Short mmCIF file of all heavy atoms in Angstrom, two decimals:
data_model
loop_
_atom_site.label_atom_id
_atom_site.label_comp_id
_atom_site.label_asym_id
_atom_site.label_seq_id
_atom_site.Cartn_x
_atom_site.Cartn_y
_atom_site.Cartn_z
N HIS A 12 0.81 -1.22 0.00
CA HIS A 12 0.00 0.00 0.00
C HIS A 12 0.85 1.27 0.00
O HIS A 12 0.34 2.36 -0.28
CB HIS A 12 -0.95 0.01 1.22
CG HIS A 12 -0.25 0.26 2.53
ND1 HIS A 12 0.26 -0.77 3.29
CD2 HIS A 12 0.03 1.42 3.20
CE1 HIS A 12 0.81 -0.27 4.38
NE2 HIS A 12 0.69 1.06 4.35
N GLN A 13 2.14 1.14 0.28
CA GLN A 13 3.03 2.30 0.27
C GLN A 13 3.57 2.61 -1.12
O GLN A 13 4.25 3.63 -1.29
CB GLN A 13 4.19 2.07 1.25
CG GLN A 13 3.77 1.97 2.71
CD GLN A 13 4.93 1.64 3.62
OE1 GLN A 13 5.40 0.50 3.67
NE2 GLN A 13 5.42 2.64 4.35
N LEU A 14 3.25 1.77 -2.09
CA LEU A 14 3.74 1.94 -3.45
C LEU A 14 2.61 2.37 -4.38
O LEU A 14 1.44 2.05 -4.15
CB LEU A 14 4.35 0.64 -3.97
CG LEU A 14 5.50 0.04 -3.14
CD1 LEU A 14 5.92 -1.30 -3.74
CD2 LEU A 14 6.68 0.99 -3.08
N SER A 15 2.95 3.08 -5.43
CA SER A 15 1.96 3.45 -6.45
C SER A 15 1.58 2.22 -7.27
O SER A 15 2.24 1.16 -7.19
CB SER A 15 2.55 4.51 -7.38
OG SER A 15 3.62 3.95 -8.14
N GLY A 16 0.53 2.34 -8.09
CA GLY A 16 0.10 1.22 -8.93
C GLY A 16 1.19 0.75 -9.87
O GLY A 16 1.40 -0.45 -10.04
N GLY A 17 1.91 1.71 -10.48
CA GLY A 17 3.00 1.34 -11.39
C GLY A 17 4.14 0.64 -10.67
O GLY A 17 4.72 -0.32 -11.18
N MET A 18 4.45 1.10 -9.46
CA MET A 18 5.50 0.47 -8.67
C MET A 18 5.11 -0.95 -8.26
O MET A 18 5.94 -1.87 -8.28
CB MET A 18 5.79 1.30 -7.42
CG MET A 18 6.43 2.63 -7.70
SD MET A 18 8.20 2.47 -7.96
CE MET A 18 8.81 3.61 -6.74
N ARG A 19 3.85 -1.13 -7.86
CA ARG A 19 3.39 -2.47 -7.48
C ARG A 19 3.48 -3.42 -8.67
O ARG A 19 3.85 -4.59 -8.50
CB ARG A 19 1.95 -2.40 -6.96
CG ARG A 19 1.82 -1.78 -5.58
CD ARG A 19 0.46 -2.04 -4.96
NE ARG A 19 -0.60 -1.35 -5.68
CZ ARG A 19 -1.09 -0.16 -5.35
NH1 ARG A 19 -0.58 0.49 -4.31
NH2 ARG A 19 -2.08 0.38 -6.03
N GLN A 20 3.14 -2.92 -9.86
CA GLN A 20 3.24 -3.79 -11.03
C GLN A 20 4.69 -4.14 -11.33
O GLN A 20 5.00 -5.26 -11.74
CB GLN A 20 2.58 -3.11 -12.24
CG GLN A 20 2.24 -4.04 -13.38
CD GLN A 20 1.30 -5.17 -12.99
OE1 GLN A 20 1.72 -6.14 -12.35
NE2 GLN A 20 0.05 -5.07 -13.38
N ARG A 21 5.60 -3.21 -11.08
CA ARG A 21 7.03 -3.51 -11.26
C ARG A 21 7.49 -4.57 -10.26
O ARG A 21 8.32 -5.42 -10.58
CB ARG A 21 7.86 -2.23 -11.10
CG ARG A 21 7.69 -1.26 -12.26
CD ARG A 21 8.37 0.08 -11.98
NE ARG A 21 8.00 1.06 -12.98
CZ ARG A 21 8.70 1.31 -14.08
NH1 ARG A 21 9.82 0.64 -14.33
NH2 ARG A 21 8.30 2.22 -14.95
N VAL A 22 6.96 -4.51 -9.04
CA VAL A 22 7.28 -5.54 -8.05
C VAL A 22 6.79 -6.90 -8.54
O VAL A 22 7.50 -7.92 -8.42
CB VAL A 22 6.64 -5.20 -6.68
CG1 VAL A 22 6.73 -6.39 -5.72
CG2 VAL A 22 7.34 -3.98 -6.07
N MET A 23 5.59 -6.93 -9.12
CA MET A 23 5.06 -8.19 -9.65
C MET A 23 5.94 -8.72 -10.78
O MET A 23 6.16 -9.93 -10.89
CB MET A 23 3.62 -7.98 -10.15
CG MET A 23 2.59 -7.81 -9.06
SD MET A 23 2.49 -9.24 -7.96
CE MET A 23 2.09 -10.54 -9.12
N ILE A 24 6.45 -7.82 -11.61
CA ILE A 24 7.34 -8.24 -12.70
C ILE A 24 8.64 -8.78 -12.11
O ILE A 24 9.16 -9.82 -12.56
CB ILE A 24 7.60 -7.07 -13.66
CG1 ILE A 24 6.31 -6.65 -14.38
CG2 ILE A 24 8.67 -7.45 -14.69
CD1 ILE A 24 6.42 -5.36 -15.15
N ALA A 25 9.18 -8.09 -11.09
CA ALA A 25 10.41 -8.58 -10.44
C ALA A 25 10.20 -9.98 -9.87
O ALA A 25 11.07 -10.85 -9.99
CB ALA A 25 10.81 -7.60 -9.32
N MET A 26 9.04 -10.19 -9.25
CA MET A 26 8.75 -11.51 -8.70
C MET A 26 8.64 -12.55 -9.81
O MET A 26 9.14 -13.68 -9.68
CB MET A 26 7.42 -11.44 -7.92
CG MET A 26 7.17 -12.62 -6.99
SD MET A 26 5.61 -12.45 -6.10
CE MET A 26 5.88 -10.92 -5.21
N ALA A 27 8.01 -12.16 -10.92
CA ALA A 27 7.81 -13.11 -12.03
C ALA A 27 9.12 -13.51 -12.70
O ALA A 27 9.25 -14.64 -13.17
CB ALA A 27 6.85 -12.50 -13.05
N ILE A 28 10.09 -12.59 -12.76
CA ILE A 28 11.36 -12.91 -13.45
C ILE A 28 12.43 -13.37 -12.47
O ILE A 28 13.57 -13.60 -12.87
CB ILE A 28 11.88 -11.69 -14.25
CG1 ILE A 28 12.25 -10.54 -13.31
CG2 ILE A 28 10.86 -11.25 -15.29
CD1 ILE A 28 13.01 -9.41 -13.99
N SER A 29 12.08 -13.53 -11.19
CA SER A 29 13.08 -13.83 -10.16
C SER A 29 13.81 -15.13 -10.40
O SER A 29 14.95 -15.30 -9.95
CB SER A 29 12.42 -13.85 -8.78
OG SER A 29 11.43 -14.87 -8.71
N CYS A 30 13.19 -16.08 -11.09
CA CYS A 30 13.83 -17.38 -11.35
C CYS A 30 14.23 -17.55 -12.81
O CYS A 30 14.46 -18.66 -13.28
CB CYS A 30 12.90 -18.51 -10.92
SG CYS A 30 12.47 -18.49 -9.17
N ASN A 31 14.30 -16.42 -13.54
CA ASN A 31 14.68 -16.44 -14.96
C ASN A 31 13.83 -17.42 -15.78
O ASN A 31 14.35 -18.38 -16.37
CB ASN A 31 16.16 -16.80 -15.12
CG ASN A 31 17.08 -15.69 -14.62
OD1 ASN A 31 16.86 -14.53 -14.92
ND2 ASN A 31 18.08 -16.06 -13.85
N PRO A 32 12.52 -17.21 -15.84
CA PRO A 32 11.66 -18.13 -16.59
C PRO A 32 11.91 -18.05 -18.09
O PRO A 32 12.39 -17.03 -18.60
CB PRO A 32 10.24 -17.62 -16.25
CG PRO A 32 10.43 -16.16 -15.99
CD PRO A 32 11.77 -16.05 -15.30
N ALA A 33 11.59 -19.13 -18.77
CA ALA A 33 11.69 -19.14 -20.23
C ALA A 33 10.47 -18.51 -20.87
O ALA A 33 10.52 -18.03 -22.01
CB ALA A 33 11.85 -20.58 -20.73
N LEU A 34 9.33 -18.50 -20.14
CA LEU A 34 8.09 -17.92 -20.65
C LEU A 34 7.45 -17.05 -19.57
O LEU A 34 7.25 -17.50 -18.44
CB LEU A 34 7.10 -19.02 -21.06
CG LEU A 34 5.69 -18.56 -21.48
CD1 LEU A 34 5.75 -17.68 -22.72
CD2 LEU A 34 4.77 -19.76 -21.71
N LEU A 35 7.14 -15.81 -19.94
CA LEU A 35 6.44 -14.89 -19.04
C LEU A 35 5.06 -14.61 -19.63
O LEU A 35 4.95 -14.12 -20.76
CB LEU A 35 7.23 -13.59 -18.90
CG LEU A 35 6.58 -12.49 -18.06
CD1 LEU A 35 6.47 -12.93 -16.61
CD2 LEU A 35 7.37 -11.18 -18.17
N ILE A 36 4.01 -14.92 -18.88
CA ILE A 36 2.64 -14.63 -19.30
C ILE A 36 2.20 -13.36 -18.59
O ILE A 36 2.22 -13.28 -17.36
CB ILE A 36 1.70 -15.80 -18.95
CG1 ILE A 36 2.17 -17.08 -19.63
CG2 ILE A 36 0.26 -15.48 -19.36
CD1 ILE A 36 1.39 -18.33 -19.21
N ALA A 37 1.80 -12.36 -19.35
CA ALA A 37 1.36 -11.08 -18.80
C ALA A 37 -0.12 -10.90 -19.14
O ALA A 37 -0.47 -10.64 -20.29
CB ALA A 37 2.19 -9.93 -19.36
N ASP A 38 -0.98 -11.05 -18.14
CA ASP A 38 -2.43 -10.99 -18.35
C ASP A 38 -2.93 -9.58 -18.03
O ASP A 38 -3.08 -9.21 -16.88
CB ASP A 38 -3.13 -12.02 -17.45
CG ASP A 38 -4.63 -12.09 -17.72
OD1 ASP A 38 -5.10 -11.45 -18.67
OD2 ASP A 38 -5.33 -12.79 -16.98
N GLU A 39 -3.17 -8.80 -19.09
CA GLU A 39 -3.64 -7.42 -18.94
C GLU A 39 -2.81 -6.68 -17.88
O GLU A 39 -3.35 -6.14 -16.91
CB GLU A 39 -5.13 -7.42 -18.54
CG GLU A 39 -6.06 -8.15 -19.49
CD GLU A 39 -6.59 -7.25 -20.60
OE1 GLU A 39 -6.08 -6.12 -20.76
OE2 GLU A 39 -7.50 -7.68 -21.31
N PRO A 40 -1.49 -6.63 -18.03
CA PRO A 40 -0.65 -6.10 -16.95
C PRO A 40 -0.76 -4.60 -16.72
O PRO A 40 -0.23 -4.10 -15.74
CB PRO A 40 0.77 -6.47 -17.41
CG PRO A 40 0.68 -6.47 -18.90
CD PRO A 40 -0.69 -7.01 -19.21
N THR A 41 -1.45 -3.88 -17.62
CA THR A 41 -1.51 -2.42 -17.48
C THR A 41 -2.93 -1.90 -17.36
O THR A 41 -3.17 -0.70 -17.49
CB THR A 41 -0.83 -1.75 -18.70
OG1 THR A 41 -1.50 -2.16 -19.91
CG2 THR A 41 0.63 -2.14 -18.80
N THR A 42 -3.89 -2.78 -17.08
CA THR A 42 -5.29 -2.38 -17.04
C THR A 42 -5.56 -1.25 -16.06
O THR A 42 -6.30 -0.31 -16.35
CB THR A 42 -6.18 -3.59 -16.68
OG1 THR A 42 -6.05 -4.56 -17.72
CG2 THR A 42 -7.63 -3.20 -16.57
N ALA A 43 -4.98 -1.32 -14.86
CA ALA A 43 -5.29 -0.34 -13.81
C ALA A 43 -4.35 0.87 -13.83
O ALA A 43 -4.39 1.69 -12.92
CB ALA A 43 -5.22 -1.02 -12.45
N LEU A 44 -3.53 1.01 -14.87
CA LEU A 44 -2.53 2.07 -14.90
C LEU A 44 -2.88 3.15 -15.91
O LEU A 44 -3.59 2.90 -16.89
CB LEU A 44 -1.15 1.48 -15.26
CG LEU A 44 -0.68 0.31 -14.39
CD1 LEU A 44 0.65 -0.20 -14.91
CD2 LEU A 44 -0.58 0.71 -12.93
N ASP A 45 -2.37 4.36 -15.68
CA ASP A 45 -2.61 5.42 -16.67
C ASP A 45 -1.72 5.20 -17.88
O ASP A 45 -0.81 4.37 -17.88
CB ASP A 45 -2.41 6.81 -16.06
CG ASP A 45 -0.98 7.06 -15.59
OD1 ASP A 45 -0.05 6.81 -16.36
OD2 ASP A 45 -0.80 7.51 -14.44
N VAL A 46 -1.98 5.97 -18.94
CA VAL A 46 -1.34 5.71 -20.24
C VAL A 46 0.18 5.83 -20.16
O VAL A 46 0.90 5.02 -20.76
CB VAL A 46 -1.91 6.68 -21.30
CG1 VAL A 46 -1.19 6.51 -22.62
CG2 VAL A 46 -3.40 6.44 -21.49
N THR A 47 0.68 6.83 -19.45
CA THR A 47 2.13 7.02 -19.36
C THR A 47 2.81 5.84 -18.68
O THR A 47 3.81 5.31 -19.17
CB THR A 47 2.44 8.32 -18.58
OG1 THR A 47 1.75 9.40 -19.19
CG2 THR A 47 3.93 8.60 -18.59
#
């Protein structure tokens, strides 16, 4: 809750790539974010 929406999504990406996956599935990863 101390992070912005964009920062939280970056944390989710960090968690997703933490084990160097061969395939990353991104399901509507920017739905709740502004255009920038």
Side-chain angles (χ1 to χ4, degrees):
H12 72 271
Q13 295 176 285
L14 303 176
S15 67
M18 291 279 236
R19 287 194 293 265
Q20 197 58 284
R21 289 172 190 267
V22 169
M23 287 300 301
I24 295 170
M26 195 179 300
I28 65 169
S29 62
C30 299
N31 291 315
L34 174 63
L35 176 66
I36 301 173
D38 186 6
E39 303 271 11
T41 59
T42 297
L44 306 178
D45 63 50
V46 175
T47 306

